[in-house]
């Protein structure tokens, strides 16, 4: 699976962004999808995940109520809608595909190239 993330950028605190991750190469609906982020000097951390059909989602506590993950299995795309952004959300955001519904990065087999989100205060 090849993953192409997009949608990052510079936004003021309180603003919104929607990240997209387009998949190609294999059957998209065979994979669970995750979003992760890595801030400068920090390890990559789990943000959100969505199951094969899109019926189940999980979020890390700091983004609950602000971020929404969704997927379109016809368009082979997963989205991360980010609202009420905070400076601490600043990071490179990565999408990932795997076959195990997990929050652990090592469980994911394929990764996108990352898209930078910068939230100014």
């Amino acid at each position: 699976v090849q993953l192409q993330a997009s949608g990052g950028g510079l936004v003021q605190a309180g603003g919104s962004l929607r990240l997209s991750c387009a998949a190609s190469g294999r059957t998209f609906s065979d994979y669970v999808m995750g979003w992760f982020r890595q801030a400068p000097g920090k390890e990559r951390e789990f943000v959100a995940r969505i199951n094969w059909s899109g019926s189940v989602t999980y979020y890390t506590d700091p983004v609950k109520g602000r971020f929404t993950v969704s997927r379109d299995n016809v368009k082979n795309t997963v989205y991360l809608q980010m609202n009420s952004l905070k400076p601490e959300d600043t990071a490179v955001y990565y999408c990932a595909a795997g076959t195990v519904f997990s929050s652990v990065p090592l469980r994911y087999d394929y990764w996108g190239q990352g898209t930078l989100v910068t939230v100014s205060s």
Side-chain angles (χ1 to χ4, degrees), residues 21 26 28 47-48 61 71 73 84 89 91 93 110-111 115:
C21 176
R26 295 198 178 186
F28 182 63
V47 176
D61 284 346
R71 67 188 295 163
N73 286 345
S84 302
D89 294 318
Y93 283 71
Y110 305 97
W111 290 82
T115 185

Side-chain angles (χ1 to χ4, degrees), residues 36-45 86-94 115-119:
F36 297 81
R37 66 187 179 186
Q38 188 166 16
K42 295 187 177 182
E43 293 187 353
R44 191 169 298 188
E45 65 174 0
K86 303 176 181 180
E88 51 264 44
D89 294 318
T90 295
V92 176
Y93 283 71
Y94 299 89
T115 185
L116 177 62
V117 173
T118 304
V119 184

Side-chain angles (χ1 to χ4, degrees), residues 11-19 37 45-48 58-70 79-91 93 117 119:
V11 63
Q12 289 188 334
S16 298
L17 283 174
R18 187 175 82 154
L19 306 183
R37 66 187 179 186
E45 65 174 0
F46 165 75
V47 176
Y58 284 101
Y59 301 89
T60 187
D61 284 346
V63 310
K64 284 181 180 177
R66 301 189 297 122
F67 290 12
T68 302
V69 60
S70 61
Y79 305 96
L80 185 68
Q81 177 67 44
M82 306 186 295
N83 298 328
S84 302
L85 282 161
K86 303 176 181 180
E88 51 264 44
D89 294 318
T90 295
Y93 283 71
V117 173
V119 184

Side-chain angles (χ1 to χ4, degrees), residues 1 19 24 33 48 56 60 62 68 74 76 90 93 107 110 112 119 121:
V1 176
L19 306 183
S24 62
M33 298 298 297
V56 181
T60 187
T68 302
V74 175
N76 294 343
T90 295
Y93 283 71
R107 291 288 194 170
Y110 305 97
V119 184
S121 58

